Amino acid sequence: MDRLAAMETFVRVVETGSFSEAARQMHVGQPAISKTIAQLESHLGIQLLLRSTRGLAPTEAGESYYERAKRTIEEADEAEHAARGAGASLSGRLRVSAAPAFASLHIIPHLGEFLGRHPGLDMEVVLDDERIDLIEEGIDIALRMGDLPDSALTVRKIGQSPRIVVAAPAYIAGHGEPSHPAELGQHQSVVYAKGFGRDAWLFRQDGTEVPVIMRGRLRVSAAEGVRSAVLSGIGLAVASEWMFAPELADGRVKLLLTDWSLAPLDLWAAFPAGRGVSAKARAFVAFVEEKLSAA
């Protein structure tokens, strides 16, 4: 039995949740996957997977083995990449987590270029506005925004976007345009109710600070919903420039209160604690920085 190959098979089975999907991704027959897992369990003398009508799940021993096996595979990949040189193409699998709206606008459209640079690399992008557990979900790198709570994660700041006030022309036509932050309380706001969204904001101008509580009848739990509501003319919103970049460029939304500023929004690359950052993850972070700086 090739122990490293068996580890790779086991890791793929755990991450896909089935022998058939692991077999499809690895381009082998399902019996070969089943045989490898049986050999691995026999070699270790423990049961790694619980099999039921609902699918597969790792046992407690299997979860522990999964974490160590994944780390071993990453270290082997790192050793190969280092031996081939920094310019070598990456291979294996990279699992990335990001907010749906940000990723759809600024990451996914460029992934064809990234994958083209690394034809041996497979990617899975998990889109979720929630801050999911990186270890539990098998995430190699998460792109997270805003203030990060105290955490055991390894993080690095990779970008920053101005926060702005925006509204669609249809809303402005019906409700007018605020000329001072204090007037925002008289307007309908679309409030992002998750993550870094909040009701209270501090506007600054030449040493003057004006606290504002945004008021509105609509609160939305996903950034894409905020975008849709603003573009529909339901209300104005405080958002990152990233969130409305295409619409700011083509005039579908208007930038308001341009002589006032808000605290910017930070973008962080977050990695699971307790393991080294892989060459794949480092390359992806560098690629994201490259694309954001060029925008």
Side-chain angles (χ1 to χ4, degrees), residues 50-126:
L50 294 173
R51 302 157 178 83
S52 71
T53 55
R54 292 182 296 177
L56 299 171
T59 62
E60 184 176 348
E63 289 180 357
S64 177
Y65 185 75
Y66 165 78
E67 289 300 328
R68 287 165 173 78
K70 185 171 182 179
R71 195 171 309 149
T72 297
I73 294 165
E74 289 172 349
E75 289 173 353
D77 288 343
E78 285 286 287
E80 288 186 7
H81 186 71
R84 291 171 180 164
S89 176
L90 299 170
S91 61
R93 183 167 175 263
L94 181 67
R95 189 170 164 86
V96 175
S97 168
F102 175 76
S104 297
L105 290 169
H106 300 287
I107 302 299
I108 292 177
H110 301 295
L111 289 185
E113 179 182 347
F114 183 70
L115 292 171
R117 295 182 189 180
H118 307 288
L121 184 66
D122 293 332
M123 284 192 68
E124 183 173 352
V125 182
V126 179

Side-chain angles (χ1 to χ4, degrees), residues 1-23:
M1 180 185 68
D2 184 329
R3 291 174 63 188
L4 186 60
M7 286 181 180
E8 291 177 323
T9 299
F10 174 70
V11 166
R12 192 66 63 95
V13 168
V14 171
E15 291 178 343
T16 61
S18 75
F19 287 159
S20 58
E21 180 59 20

Side-chain angles (χ1 to χ4, degrees), residues 88 136 256-257:
E136 183 177 326
L256 308 178
L257 300 173

Side-chain angles (χ1 to χ4, degrees), residues 136-156:
E136 183 177 326
E137 299 296 330
I139 302 296
D140 299 297
I141 175 175
L143 301 179
R144 292 187 170 174
M145 296 182 181
D147 299 327
L148 295 183
D150 290 339
S151 169
L153 295 176
T154 301
V155 298
R156 182 163 75 82

Side-chain angles (χ1 to χ4, degrees), residues 180-181 202-211 259-261:
H180 189 277
L202 187 63
F203 287 78
R204 294 185 173 91
Q205 181 192 74
D206 300 328
T208 300
E209 295 185 341
V210 178
D259 50 350
W260 291 83
S261 64

Side-chain angles (χ1 to χ4, degrees), residues 40-57:
L40 184 60
E41 289 181 322
S42 176
H43 171 74
L44 296 172
I46 57 173
Q47 184 178 3
L48 295 172
L49 295 169
L50 294 173
R51 302 157 178 83
S52 71
T53 55
R54 292 182 296 177
L56 299 171

